Amino acid sequence: MNSLEKIDKNNIPQHIAIIMDGNGRWAKKQGQERLYGHSIGVEAVRESINACLSMGVKYLTLYTFSTENWNRPKDEVDGIMNLLVQTISNELELLNSHQTGLIVIGDEEGLPDSCRDELNEAKEYLSKNNKLYLVLALNYSARWEIKNAIKNISEQVKDGKINSKEITDELISNELCTKNIPDPELIIRTSGEHRISNFLLWQLAYSELYFTEVLWPDFKEEDLYLAVTNFQSRERRFGQTSEQII
Ligand code: IPE
Ligand code: IPE
Ligand code: MG
């Protein structure tokens, strides 16, 4: 029995989010530039998409570029943006043949024009697809997202459109970039780092966290099946006792 067959098809997370980390360290180990690690990381993205399609996962969110990543050397930032444009263009037909839609979360206004244009074209081209949604977190940070939500909600209160008593969890969720996307049941971080790095802070309230030592460019379909198998072994209690759930 291979690892896909071991997975319980009745308990597949609808939404998996991945902090793709370790490209730089992977490249260094090969005696290569950091950008080489990012380019090989694209292969791990393909592997993850294939695994999600095989399992029937509906949303795959990939932390691709954080608002803090602008602080990296200019060459690396430029290289990542170019790679993004190239990759989206190269993968478009494959994504379409897999009936995969594209969603972007993050501050798209702050991206280079070439990148924003490519993303908009791709979103439009893939807009009828609904088997899997690939959600790219780009120029994203959770504090930026929450700050915007607070600004929007306070404007609505100021304009008398809502009363502050009407501010519910649901209302806040609807002001986030992930509006209409279920919270991720499973968050994975590669490369052995045990932190969240400003990712989906509101949405991860009850996510299961899974950390693996595997560096992102080495991440294979099999690694995603392992993560889901581990997820399925957990008891999600949401504040209740074990006895209450069984
Ligand atoms: C993740 O790999 C990719 C991005 C953050 C864009 P890193 O580039 O962070 O790789 P390490 O952590 O330096 O090894
Ligand atoms: C988080 O990785 C951001 C992305 C994966 C895009 P980083 O490598 O930037 O995170 P830190 O700096 O190690 O926390
Ligand atoms: Mg890193």
Side-chain angles (χ1 to χ4, degrees):
M1 200 152 84
N2 66 32
S3 18
L4 177 58
E5 285 166 2
K6 282 188 204 139
I7 289 173
D8 175 1
K9 297 293 175 308
N10 297 313
N11 185 20
I12 302 286
Q14 269 196 94
H15 182 179
I16 297 177
I18 308 183
I19 303 173
M20 311 183 286
D21 199 15
N23 294 351
R25 277 163 284 166
W26 184 90
K28 197 171 173 191
K29 272 175 50 182
Q30 322 278 320
Q32 300 272 1
E33 298 292 319
R34 294 178 55 85
L35 263 178
Y36 180 65
H38 296 312
S39 67
I40 302 299
V42 174
E43 187 49 43
V45 172
R46 279 192 213 106
E47 295 268 336
S48 304
I49 291 173
N50 287 339
C52 285
L53 288 163
S54 303
M55 290 185 285
V57 171
K58 203 80 195 165
Y59 297 89
L60 171 66
T61 297
L62 300 177
Y63 201 6
T64 309
F65 194 85
S66 73
T67 54
E68 287 82 10
N69 288 145
W70 295 110
N71 297 323
R72 293 190 177 196
K74 187 176 181 309
D75 280 1
E76 181 171 347
V77 171
D78 290 348
I80 292 174
M81 292 300 152
N82 288 336
L83 181 66
L84 188 72
V85 174
Q86 252 177 42
T87 305
I88 292 167
S89 154
N90 292 345
E91 304 296 316
L92 204 57
E93 282 310 327
L94 193 64
L95 289 173
N96 199 36
S97 69
H98 288 147
Q99 295 166 55
T100 298
L102 180 66
I103 297 172
V104 177
I105 59 170
D107 186 2
E108 288 179 78
E109 291 300 309
L111 292 170
D113 291 348
S114 58
C115 203
R116 213 174 38 242
D117 293 348
E118 190 68 45
L119 286 166
N120 285 337
E121 274 177 39
K123 278 192 277 190
E124 173 64 27
Y125 189 71
L126 303 172
S127 62
K128 302 241 165 14
N129 298 341
N130 60 6
K131 188 170 180 198
L132 169 70
Y133 292 97
L134 178 64
V135 183
L136 296 182
L138 269 172
N139 197 14
Y140 174 88
S141 79
R143 286 187 174 181
W144 165 84
E145 178 184 45
I146 293 169
K147 189 170 60 197
N148 273 344
I150 293 172
K151 282 183 192 164
N152 288 339
I153 294 169
S154 51
E155 283 294 318
Q156 291 171 42
V157 173
K158 193 181 89 198
D159 296 345
K161 288 185 186 142
I162 55 164
N163 183 305
S164 62
K165 292 198 180 62
E166 291 167 334
I167 300 175
T168 56
D169 285 10
E170 197 191 351
L171 185 126
I172 295 171
S173 293
N174 283 334
E175 290 296 337
L176 301 175
C177 305
T178 48
K179 180 178 177 334
N180 300 328
I181 301 177
D183 290 341
E185 295 96 321
L186 172 62
I187 295 190
I188 298 169
R189 183 169 188 147
T190 58
S191 89
E193 304 293 355
H194 293 186
R195 59 177 169 268
I196 296 298
S197 302
N198 217 346
F199 190 45
L200 302 178
L201 294 180
W202 173 270
Q203 297 87 338
L204 60 65
Y206 265 106
S207 303
E208 296 297 329
L209 307 181
Y210 177 86
F211 299 101
T212 168
E213 295 292 321
V214 176
L215 300 173
W216 181 248
D218 286 332
F219 196 82
K220 300 277 181 278
E221 274 189 54
E222 199 64 20
D223 294 297
L224 195 49
Y225 299 143
L226 275 179
V228 171
T229 306
N230 181 291
F231 164 85
Q232 293 185 335
S233 72
R234 302 189 190 185
E235 183 177 65
R236 306 187 72 208
R237 291 189 284 276
F238 301 97
Q240 293 187 294
T241 66
S242 199
E243 292 71 22
Q244 283 176 294
I245 318 169
I246 297 164

